[in-house]
Amino acid sequence: MTYQAEIRVWRGDMTGGGFATYQVEADEGEVVLDLVHRLQATQAPDLAVRWNCKAGKCGSCSAEINGRPRLLCMTRMSALPPGEPVTITPLRAFPVIRDLVTDVSFNYTKAREIPSFAAPQGLAPGEYRMSQEDVNRSQEFRKCIECYLCQDTCHVVRDHEENKSAFAGPRYLMRIAELDMHPLDTADRQKAAQEVHGLGYCNITKCCTDVCPEGIRITDNALIPLKERVADRKYDPLVWLGSKITRR
Ligand code: SF4
Ligand code: F3S
Ligand code: FES
């Protein structure tokens, strides 16, 4: 069944902008990105939007739909309130470049600030051994498609630009947690998690987990365990030392 959908799209650039309203043909089963593409093809050829896979795997098409951070390619029109306009805005936590495209380089900066996996000395790559439980934990975190929806929604930076320098955001605190819980990683990550990457700013609101399109349990499986490990070390440094010796 074909119908006319009203979509309100934020148009503008870093100097300012506003909403433009369009009537766009929609077909049953379509996702919001289909309508954005049809809008580009028929009425707004200069509309800027970032996308790539249209399959929820590249993490490029992140935007806000009716105020909620979502992937444009994975949000079905049928999941939105019928008969009401659909509002599409760029990610709020990052600077707009043009229309729906934002500058997400904040995330690349934060990624570079985290030292990579530090392998144990004297162990050749083929000699690494891990239990399946440890592999499963890492694999959950590695489902991340770098869409930055969690980074966009976390209130610590969403409404507080001034916090950005001191807070890595859920995606990168999750990366630290992954490495800290990795049985073969030898780096000391807990002090930096608290003092450099802003773990203490997270007050476990779980909004990051709510918007993750990969269903990663960011808060329960990464951020809370990392907080517990940091607290254990603070109150009992022997726990930290023991964990490094036994690699647990
Ligand atoms: Fe996106 Fe989830 Fe990765 Fe955050 S953790 S960047 S929401 S896939
Ligand atoms: Fe932010 Fe997620 Fe913590 S939304 S406050 S990082 S639980
Ligand atoms: Fe790749 Fe949407 S276009 S995740």
Side-chain angles (χ1 to χ4, degrees), residues 18 24 29 51 69 85 88 96 112 118 125 129 157 164 166 174 183 194 218 228 232 247-248:
V24 184
W51 69 283
I88 312 174
V96 169
R112 281 192 293 267
R129 295 286 184 274
V157 290
K164 279 189 173 168
M174 178 175 86
Q194 194 72 6
I218 306 169
E228 287 171 350
D232 277 353
R247 292 203 189 131
R248 286 181 61 85

Side-chain angles (χ1 to χ4, degrees), residues 4-5 18 27 37 43 46 73 81 84 94 101 105 108 128-129 131 140 158 162 196 199 207 216 241 245-246:
Q4 291 293 312
D27 281 319
H37 283 163
Q43 302 174 57
D46 60 339
C73 75
E84 290 183 18
F94 308 122
V101 176
S105 55
Y108 311 147
Y128 291 7
R129 295 286 184 274
S131 70
E140 180 188 12
R158 187 173 175 86
E162 69 279 9
V196 180
L199 180 63
C207 310
I216 303 171
L241 191 60
I245 292 168
T246 59

